[in-house]
Amino acid sequence: MSKDAVLEVRDLHVFLDEKEIIKGVSLKVKQGETHVIMGPNGSGKSTLAKSIMGHPKIKVTKGDILLNEKSILGLGPDKRAKLGLFLEFQNPVEIDGVGFINFLHTAKQSLSGGGVSTKELMTEIKESIANLKLSEDFIGRTLNQGFSGGEKKKTEVLQMSVLKPKIAILDEPDSGLDIDAVKVVSACINRIAESEHMGLLLITHYSRILSYMKPDVVHVMVNGKIVDEGGTELIEKLEKSGYDSYLKADGAKK
Ligand SMILES: Nc1ncnc2c1ncn2[C@@H]1O[C@H](COP(=O)(O)OP(=O)(O)O)[C@@H](O)[C@H]1O
Ligand SMILES: [Mg+2]
């Protein structure tokens, strides 16, 4: 059996357009583990996700991001994906004229170095479509065009189930979903993560989706820093008192 992948963020500092957004974040996610990052709007969660995937606008000024103890900072997003990382965007983009199936086939070919059978891929896609309770006519559609918010989110989970990354970063997979869809999507994420032995870094600012997921570690992020870490008991604490106490403590330090 091959060794489990480990993603490590080490004392990361990141600037976006001349402003420091990530101010010294460290965390380690192993394949098979589920980590959650919670934090108020604007605390830098999406920026952290984009930093891990190598978004071109991100400027790392200090620290490192490593996969299996090797720095990936010098690699572009495509190379990082080939190594087994996956990012589900908070706001998925529409891609003009690219058929959904074509997109998945190309992505999978590129990740696996070719040889992907269209027939097997279709079987896999149909299975995921049924699991996600999407309609079959999805197969003929253009990526994300005219998709509802919920459908976009579901297609991202579909991508994850087809591409089978070692470690997936999910940035608010519950945003824009109604209560039933949150259940369907989280059940799918759980099933794929378990059957593929995936590591998950789940970002959210609501605890709703967490009633369906079983995180091993919860990190609380405020103003570009991890201000608390623990188990699921932290979710209950946040449910009761929100982020106020963290925000006040952060403000008092300045
Ligand atoms: N392209 C950008 N240029 C400059 N600042 C940005 C940019 N995108 C986001 N920010 C700022 O970075 C901070 C963190 O944003 P973000 O990472 O999206 O937070 P979160 O995902 O936790 O809501 C916010 O203050 C936001 O205004
Ligand atoms: Mg965000």
Side-chain angles (χ1 to χ4, degrees):
M1 222 179 91
S2 63
K3 234 177 107 227
D4 283 348
V6 183
L7 168 71
E8 187 182 352
V9 176
R10 207 182 270 170
D11 189 29
L12 191 74
H13 292 251
V14 168
F15 273 71
L16 252 181
D17 294 341
E18 314 294 316
K19 192 175 150 210
E20 189 174 38
I21 309 288
I22 304 290
K23 304 167 183 173
V25 165
S26 298
L27 52 88
K28 210 185 228 187
V29 182
K30 291 194 186 115
Q31 229 179 310
E33 292 178 349
T34 298
H35 288 241
V36 173
I37 299 182
M38 300 186 75
N41 272 323
S43 53
K45 305 181 300 296
S46 293
T47 306
L48 177 66
K50 287 179 191 158
S51 308
I52 297 172
M53 286 314 292
H55 191 282
K57 279 187 88 176
I58 297 292
K59 209 166 105 202
V60 173
T61 53
K62 195 179 163 204
D64 209 345
I65 303 172
L66 308 103
L67 193 65
N68 302 333
E69 293 175 12
K70 268 169 82 178
S71 176
I72 56 168
L73 281 186
L75 307 178
D78 53 332
K79 293 238 170 67
R80 297 187 194 198
K82 269 192 187 167
L83 291 175
L85 296 177
F86 173 90
L87 172 63
E88 184 200 52
F89 297 99
Q90 183 172 1
N91 298 303
V93 284
E94 299 193 355
I95 300 180
D96 268 350
V98 176
F100 182 56
I101 301 298
N102 250 335
F103 169 80
L104 278 179
H105 191 246
T106 310
K108 187 146 179 142
Q109 287 275 32
S110 144
L111 288 185
S112 59
V116 175
S117 131
T118 318
K119 203 171 149 216
E120 272 169 36
L121 184 70
M122 281 311 289
T123 313
E124 223 173 319
I125 290 172
K126 281 189 180 155
E127 220 179 271
S128 295
I129 281 182
N131 285 337
L132 285 162
K133 301 198 188 338
L134 283 164
S135 84
E136 281 247 348
D137 69 3
F138 242 74
I139 288 171
R141 287 171 71 178
T142 296
L143 188 63
N144 284 342
Q145 247 171 29
F147 287 14
S148 71
E151 285 172 338
K152 281 186 192 174
K153 281 282 156 190
K154 286 183 174 182
T155 39
E156 295 254 334
V157 177
L158 208 164
Q159 279 173 48
M160 179 175 101
S161 68
V162 170
L163 300 179
K164 300 187 175 58
K166 292 181 179 134
I167 294 175
I169 303 156
L170 307 173
D171 191 0
E172 302 198 5
D174 47 350
S175 81
L177 296 184
D178 60 40
I179 296 170
D180 292 331
V182 170
K183 256 193 223 173
V184 171
V185 165
S186 41
C188 272
I189 295 173
N190 280 332
R191 186 174 35 225
I192 304 156
E194 208 155 296
S195 71
E196 300 301 326
H197 188 56
M198 246 177 232
L200 291 181
L201 181 58
L202 176 72
I203 295 171
T204 182
H205 67 273
Y206 289 121
S207 52
R208 196 174 61 182
I209 191 168
L210 299 175
S211 48
Y212 306 108
M213 315 284 291
K214 294 166 263 53
D216 300 294
V217 186
V218 177
H219 313 262
V220 181
M221 189 165 175
V222 171
N223 191 20
K225 284 169 286 194
I226 304 283
V227 294
D228 209 351
E229 262 162 347
T232 43
E233 76 283 350
L234 261 186
I235 301 170
E236 282 158 45
K237 184 179 157 192
L238 286 170
E239 277 277 274
K240 283 204 195 95
S241 51
Y243 299 113
D244 270 3
S245 60
Y246 296 113
L247 287 166
K248 277 191 199 126
D250 185 63
K253 267 189 244 153
K254 279 183 198 158

